Amino acid sequence: MEFRDVVRRRRMVRDYDPDRPVPAEVRERLLEHAIRAPSAGFSQGWAFLVLETPEERDRFWTATTGPGAPDGWLTRMRRAPLLVVPLSHKAAYLERYAESDKGWTDRDEARWPVPYWDVDTGMASLLMLLTAVDEGLGACFFGVPPERIAAFREAFGVPAAYAPIGAVSVGYPGTEDKRSPSLERGRRGVDEVVHRGSW
């Protein structure tokens, strides 16, 4: 697929065919592409928790959602045969920039204008989303509710130094996908968001 087509076709898919697993070679390609993302100082402060078995995925949904019957969104999302949780590792960046070629020996987080550990992990997530499109799959990036992060950590033994920035569901699109009503707002055009030379 041409890259321009991959970009144009990328959308958040919220329903999956539960009977079609993601082929192992495609799963590995998603992860190989993710680690090609840029990272400040080549810190590579990310990790990816891969959940494929029904037990692993059920444990994820139990840890990250509240009690009670699932709504339509959750019912459809739970059909995804593959979940990847990208985690950022702030300490990797603070330690990298305290090395001699960077020279910030104090590891002061205030030196960072934005949390690049999260930004870079987000870019790795985007590469997974684009790879899914290129492979003929659907994918969706979604958040882990803040109040459920402790339960998620406990369920999977995630060290405190790693923070989930969200999760990526991957699979072959199902027949009940529902587009977000937010799309009715329309995509803002280049002329609305680009400022050339000055604001």
Side-chain angles (χ1 to χ4, degrees):
M1 191 181 298
E2 292 289 331
F3 182 69
R4 72 183 76 186
D5 295 327
V6 170
V7 172
R8 287 192 177 116
R9 291 182 184 182
R10 198 235 29 96
R11 64 183 185 85
M12 299 301 188
V13 172
R14 297 170 177 87
D15 183 44
Y16 301 91
D17 183 341
D19 299 320
R20 293 183 70 191
V22 174
E25 64 274 13
V26 174
R27 176 201 62 224
E28 292 308 304
R29 218 166 1 260
L30 289 167
L31 298 166
E32 288 165 6
H33 289 182
I35 64 170
R36 300 291 302 183
S39 67
F42 211 41
S43 301
Q44 304 170 77
W46 47 49
F48 305 92
L49 178 63
V50 178
L51 307 173
E52 292 181 282
T53 69
E55 185 277 328
E56 291 166 345
R57 296 189 318 264
D58 286 347
R59 192 164 13 125
F60 172 83
W61 293 115
T62 298
T64 60
T65 59
D71 62 10
W73 179 89
L74 182 55
T75 297
R76 292 186 299 276
M77 289 294 283
R78 287 183 71 125
R79 295 175 186 155
L82 172 63
L83 297 172
V84 180
V85 183
L87 302 115
S88 67
H89 186 209
K90 175 171 57 176
Y93 287 74
L94 301 182
E95 291 166 12
R96 170 67 184 105
Y97 276 77
E99 292 177 17
S100 60
D101 64 320
K102 296 298 182 186
W104 293 352
T105 57
D106 58 9
R107 292 176 171 78
D108 185 359
E109 186 179 338
R111 293 184 183 275
W112 295 84
V114 295
Y116 273 84
W117 38 92
D118 294 335
V119 171
D120 293 349
T121 307
M123 287 194 270
S125 301
L126 179 58
L127 288 179
M128 285 192 283
L129 295 175
L130 293 174
T131 301
V133 173
D134 193 47
E135 296 287 346
L137 294 153
C140 183
F141 181 90
F142 60 97
V144 176
E147 69 275 11
R148 306 299 297 181
I149 289 176
F152 162 77
R153 285 185 189 286
E154 183 178 344
F156 294 99
V158 175
Y162 288 85
I165 66 155
V168 179
S169 55
V170 185
Y172 291 94
T175 59
E176 298 179 35
D177 190 30
K178 296 190 184 310
R179 303 297 298 271
S180 170
S182 298
L183 293 173
E184 294 173 11
R185 302 179 70 216
R187 187 177 306 281
R188 294 174 67 193
V190 170
D191 58 330
E192 293 180 82
V193 298
V194 174
H195 307 275
R196 302 180 193 274
S198 68
W199 199 274

